[in-house]
Amino acid sequence: METLAIRLKIGDREYPMRVTQEDEAKIRHAGKLINEKLRKYKSEFGLDDNQDLLAMVAFDCMVESLETNAVNQEDSEHIRASIAHINSLLSKAI
């Protein structure tokens, strides 16, 4: 797989990265979302310290990740239960 050398600006810094062509759009989108959250927190809380802002964004992202994982876990359990139920019905029908 071929990699691309890109620069991603987050806050007031640029980060050089090597990414696959398949991941480039996703990584640029993630950088855009981080910058949007930085701007939101900066205006909402009046903070200028980029380290504080980045820490808040990281915390917010982790909370979102935990919530998403919990939903995925519930969905997986529901799917497993549905498959087990269907399997039971099929076993009885055979």
Side-chain angles (χ1 to χ4, degrees):
M1 229 178 276
E2 192 174 326
T3 60
L4 304 171
I6 65 170
R7 291 189 168 274
L8 193 63
K9 186 168 182 173
I10 297 176
D12 60 352
R13 292 187 179 182
E14 277 194 6
Y15 297 92
M17 302 178 82
R18 295 197 72 64
V19 300
T20 63
Q21 287 178 330
E22 296 168 345
D23 291 340
E24 180 187 11
K26 178 174 47 177
I27 289 170
R28 289 192 185 279
H29 183 66
K32 180 181 176 186
L33 293 174
I34 289 169
N35 282 321
E36 287 173 1
K37 284 184 181 243
L38 285 172
R39 283 190 292 277
K40 176 185 167 211
Y41 288 141
K42 187 173 188 171
S43 67
E44 189 175 328
F45 298 110
L47 296 173
D48 286 326
D49 186 297
N50 281 327
Q51 192 168 359
D52 286 344
L53 290 166
L54 285 169
M56 292 173 72
V57 169
F59 183 79
D60 190 41
C61 289
M62 183 54 67
V63 169
E64 288 176 12
S65 175
L66 291 171
E67 289 171 352
T68 300
N69 288 343
V71 168
N72 288 342
Q73 178 79 22
E74 290 171 10
D75 289 347
S76 293
E77 289 172 10
H78 178 72
I79 290 168
R80 272 190 227 106
S82 296
I83 290 172
H85 178 69
I86 292 169
N87 190 33
S88 173
L89 293 174
L90 288 173
S91 294
K92 289 178 186 175
I94 295 177

